[in-house]
Amino acid sequence: MDRINTIGRRKTAVARIYMSAGSGAITVNGKELNAYFPTEVLQIITRQPFATVKADATYDVKVNVRGGGVTGQAEATRMAISRALVEANAEYRPALKKEGFLTRDSRMVERKKPGRKKARRKFQFSKR
């Protein structure tokens, strides 16, 4: 199996990954997964697709991720890995789809409106 290239998005984060057969090493922007995503929750989010299809130490993943915050980046990476796993083995699709890893979360930040403090928050009311 040669390299599989897929893309994943979440909010403003975009993750491009290159997956190849290997020992389960995940590199994010040139750093080890544990160094780039220091919290355990973000590491679990990133590894979820492998755990779902029980392919933990089967593939090496190289991730380029930019934009957004750490959670958005972790979830974008999760989506890209899921897409790559389906490309590698179509039998993984039902399990990953059931978990919702193949669906793009379309929720974005609502824009700020004029005459408001934020998107919906009004300025503090002053009686006098």
Side-chain angles (χ1 to χ4, degrees), residues 19-36:
M19 192 173 82
S20 55
S23 59
I26 301 175
T27 313
V28 185
N29 289 357
K31 295 181 183 176
E32 193 60 44
L33 176 72
N34 301 355
Y36 193 83

Side-chain angles (χ1 to χ4, degrees), residues 28-98:
V28 185
N29 289 357
K31 295 181 183 176
E32 193 60 44
L33 176 72
N34 301 355
Y36 193 83
F37 293 129
T39 62
E40 197 177 333
V41 174
L42 297 173
Q43 292 168 25
I44 290 168
I45 287 171
T46 307
R47 288 198 181 104
Q48 269 179 326
F50 292 120
T52 305
V53 298
K54 294 170 183 61
D56 288 317
T58 323
Y59 301 102
D60 284 345
V61 180
K62 185 178 177 294
V63 186
N64 293 322
V65 66
R66 59 192 325 154
V70 285
T71 306
Q73 288 188 348
E75 291 179 10
T77 305
R78 176 176 71 184
M79 182 187 197
I81 290 170
S82 301
R83 285 177 168 178
L85 284 169
V86 169
E87 215 171 294
N89 186 348
E91 292 172 16
Y92 293 153
R93 189 174 173 83
L96 292 168
K97 193 160 175 66
K98 186 171 176 278

